[in-house]
Structure formats: C-alpha cells, structure tokens
Amino acid sequence: MDRYRIIAMIGAAAMAVAACSSAAAPEAGSSALARSPLPPVTAALPHLIASTTTAPVDPRSADRLAQDELRSVLAAAQQWFSESGTFDDGLSSVEALAERITVVPLQEAAGRDGVAYDAHDRRLTLHRKSASGTWFCIDVRDGTIDHGLGDSFQQALATCTDGVVVGGWGDSFSPTGPDEAAVTGVVRALFNALAVGSVEAAHELFLSESACTATRFGELWPDGLALTDSAGYELLGITVTGDSAIASFSSPPLADSPWPFESREATWLLAVDPCDLLGPLAGERMDAAALALLEQGLLAARGAFVERLDFAFAASVLAGSDALLTLVPETDVEFGTLSYSGTVSEGLLITTGSPERFYCAVESLSASTVYGEGTSVSDVDSPARCRGRATR
C-alpha cells in the first residue's frame, strides 16, 4: 500500500472519530479494570423512561435516577431562591438551570412526566415518580430539607412533610436518637465527598489512628476524581452500643456490608482504613480516566497528522489543538497528564492511571494503533517498548 493511500486512510479515520466522539465514549481496555465503573445515571434514562419495550425495569436504578433528578432540581431551585429571595415564579428558570430535566407545575404532575414544582414563597415541595412506581418527595421549609417516599403521591407527601428529616434517601431507617443522627450525618458526608471527589473531606471522616495517612490517601485517590456517580445511597439501619456503632447501607459500586463507627470525644467517625476501603475503587476510576485521556490524546494526534502529513510535531501542537490536554515530558507524567513524542512515521503517547500503572499508544503509518501497559514509564517510553507490552 503506497504512503499517500495510508495517509488518506488515517485522515479519514481521524475525521470519522472526530464526528462520533461526542456520541460514544472510548472503550477502555479490559486489562485495565477489575470491573467496569458505573455509567453516569443519565445513561439509564432511555431505558427507564423513554423505552417503548417491555423489558423489566430495575427498581433500584429507576429510583436512584428519580432521586438524582430531584436533587438536581433542588439545587437549581436553591440558586433561584438565592437570586430572588423566593421560590415563587421560578419554574422556567429552575428548569433552565437544571439542564435536560423536565420541571412541571404541580397541577400537571399527573399528565406530564417530570419533576413537579410546588412553590409557596419561602417553602418548596418537589415530587417525582420513579419508573418503578415509587413516588419521591423533597420539602424545603425554614431552612430544613425533608425527604420522603411512598407507593403513592399522598404517601410520599406525608413522609416528606412529617418533620423527620431523613438524610440518605429511600432509607428504610430514620435516625431515632442523637447518636444515630450523628452516624447518619457521617454517612451522608462521605457520599457527598465521594460524588464530588473531595479527598480531604472524606479522609476527615475516618479515625486518625488508621495507617492510611492523608498523604497516602491522596496518592491512591486524586482530588477531584469522583468515585460514585451520585451522592445517593440507601440507609438500611444503625445499631449503637456505647461508643461503637454499626451502620448498614447500600450504594453501588460499594459493597453492601455493615460499616463500623466509633465515637471519640462526642464525634462519630468511621473505624476502618480508608485506603483499604476506597483504594481499589479509586484505582478503577483512575485507570478508566487514564484510558479515556489516552483516546483523547490520540484524537488530537490524528488531527495534527492530517494537517502535517507526519507525526514529527511538538507536544505543544496537541496542547494547542485541545485545551483540555495537559502535555508534560515523559519523566513528569502523572495522573491527568500526557506525554507525546513523534517521528515522521509514528507517534507515542503515555499517561498513567492507578499507582504503578502506565499506559501507552503508538500511532503509525504502517499499522493499526497499538496500546500497551507497564508498571513504570521506562516500560513504555518508546514505540518499541510500548509494542513489546501490547495489550491490544
């Protein structure tokens, strides 16, 4: 095959990838993950609501989706309130702020699918029916937020206006005393930290006697990397015995199991090692993010090749074509960064995921893209070494 025909094929492939990249995420290599991370909750929307098939609905997924929509609308409503001083007349503004979530007036809740918005000056009640049939409700009043659910609209409204503020939504357990409420607060704070990727906030919820220092924790889990797709969970129960407690809850992708807590100077904390508990999950998310970044870099490299007809361009060219890419020398590669080097006939990209896991890709005129993996940057710092550790 002559050189110009190969160039034309790579150019066509680059343009095809660019055309569809917004519609499909890159597929991660199977060698990188122990199991696939959960997709964003919105990915389940067509199956739960828009589908016209008779496939069975997963109640838990449907309920979490309804809960996440309510949380998003609540956040938008609170922003509207901060600007206007009232929840009234905010439906259209809140719907715009919530992005792609339908918000309807309460009187239309029976006929239109969406989050029902019922505002009365400084009080707001939101309703959402899950595809499972369960109704969920949030009531905001006097600075407090009450959650409720039920098999009917009336039941959900009754539980979200009963004055019992339930933290984790869909809970079959509601705190009955100050210790139970304090443990519930720790669980809620943990899942908020996991959802936004706040490493420091999460570490503060564990006993300081743990061998997992804040520095070590940060090495296992980069700040800003979300470990869950939402802050939702289901609290199943809390048992308090003196200064010890056991809390049971359910929230994929964490295992459903009892977690121990201890009280120190009237403060409840998780009595487990956070590195052991969250390190494996953080590693999976880091590897998935690294593989996605590698594909993003390859897309930029293919585009640069089409313009220059070779791979012998500087790394700054990739950074200039995609502002989201951070290019560094290969010796400085860390999570979230890429290195690039190239010759006329081939280019090499390197990034890193979880500790001691480096990923590479070789793009060339003469062969399909090769992906490799090593335990140090020196394992993959040349096209030949990358090919020698090929995973696909």
Side-chain angles (χ1 to χ4, degrees):
M1 184 179 296
D2 63 73
R3 180 174 184 268
Y4 292 101
R5 186 176 176 188
I6 292 173
I7 291 172
M9 290 175 65
I10 291 179
M15 288 184 285
V17 171
C20 66
S21 62
S22 63
E27 181 179 338
S30 59
S31 64
L33 301 179
R35 54 182 168 81
S36 297
L38 295 176
V41 292
T42 51
L45 184 59
H47 304 291
L48 299 178
I49 293 177
S51 175
T52 58
T53 69
T54 57
V57 173
D58 173 16
R60 178 174 291 184
S61 297
D63 290 350
R64 291 194 187 284
L65 181 59
Q67 294 164 11
D68 284 334
E69 287 191 359
L70 275 170
R71 288 190 182 94
S72 296
V73 173
L74 174 61
Q78 289 172 323
Q79 181 175 339
W80 166 254
F81 182 87
S82 69
E83 297 171 356
S84 63
T86 179
F87 290 113
D88 288 344
D89 303 319
L91 191 146
S92 59
S93 297
V94 168
E95 185 172 41
L97 291 169
E99 294 186 359
R100 297 186 298 277
I101 297 176
T102 301
V103 183
V104 302
L106 180 62
Q107 58 269 29
E108 297 181 18
R112 293 179 60 193
D113 185 54
V115 174
Y117 187 92
D118 184 22
H120 301 278
D121 191 17
R122 299 175 66 85
R123 181 174 181 179
L124 173 69
T125 310
L126 302 173
H127 308 266
R128 183 68 169 107
K129 185 178 182 180
S130 165
S132 72
T134 300
W135 278 91
F136 293 93
C137 175
I138 294 179
D139 186 66
V140 183
R141 174 174 38 177
D142 299 328
T144 63
I145 302 175
D146 194 353
H147 298 70
L149 75 162
D151 294 333
S152 66
F153 175 91
Q154 291 79 9
Q155 290 179 3
L157 179 61
T159 60
C160 79
T161 57
D162 60 3
V164 179
V165 181
V166 180
W169 209 344
D171 298 347
S172 55
F173 172 86
S174 180
T176 56
D179 290 325
E180 289 85 351
V183 171
T184 300
V186 175
V187 175
R188 185 187 314 123
L190 175 64
F191 279 96
N192 286 336
L194 296 180
V196 300
S198 179
V199 178
E200 181 180 0
H203 190 263
E204 291 177 350
L205 301 173
F206 294 82
L207 289 175
S208 58
E209 295 95 310
S210 165
C212 181
T213 64
T215 299
R216 175 59 177 158
F217 197 43
E219 293 173 350
L220 295 176
W221 176 17
D223 195 58
L225 178 67
L227 299 192
T228 58
D229 296 314
S230 80
Y233 62 92
E234 180 181 359
L235 186 62
L236 304 175
I238 297 176
T239 302
V240 177
T241 307
D243 289 336
S244 299
I246 296 292
S248 299
F249 52 86
S250 174
S251 176
L254 296 172
D256 297 355
S257 61
W259 286 20
F261 291 74
E262 290 185 14
S263 177
R264 300 293 172 85
E265 299 179 355
T267 299
W268 285 95
L269 297 168
L270 279 154
V272 292
D273 189 305
C275 291
D276 292 341
L277 182 68
L278 299 174
L281 178 60
E284 291 182 9
R285 291 293 172 118
M286 291 175 71
D287 290 333
L291 291 168
L293 180 61
L294 196 62
E295 291 293 341
Q296 186 178 350
L298 281 169
L299 184 62
R302 289 164 186 157
F305 172 85
V306 170
E307 293 181 0
R308 292 165 175 76
L309 302 183
D310 63 44
F311 291 103
F313 47 81
S316 58
V317 172
L318 301 187
S321 65
D322 188 339
L324 298 179
L325 295 177
T326 301
L327 276 297
V328 298
E330 63 185 36
T331 53
D332 297 333
V333 169
E334 58 185 13
F335 180 74
T337 66
L338 282 167
S339 77
Y340 176 80
S341 58
T343 64
V344 171
S345 60
E346 60 188 6
L348 173 69
L349 282 160
I350 303 173
T351 190
T352 184
S354 55
E356 299 183 352
R357 179 164 282 176
F358 289 80
Y359 298 99
C360 62
V362 179
E363 191 77 355
S364 69
L365 287 172
S366 59
S368 301
T369 304
V370 174
Y371 297 85
E373 178 184 322
T375 58
S376 68
V377 71
S378 61
D379 288 339
V380 295
D381 62 358
S382 72
R385 292 191 182 96
C386 185
R387 290 190 181 98
R389 291 179 171 269
T391 55
R392 56 187 170 103

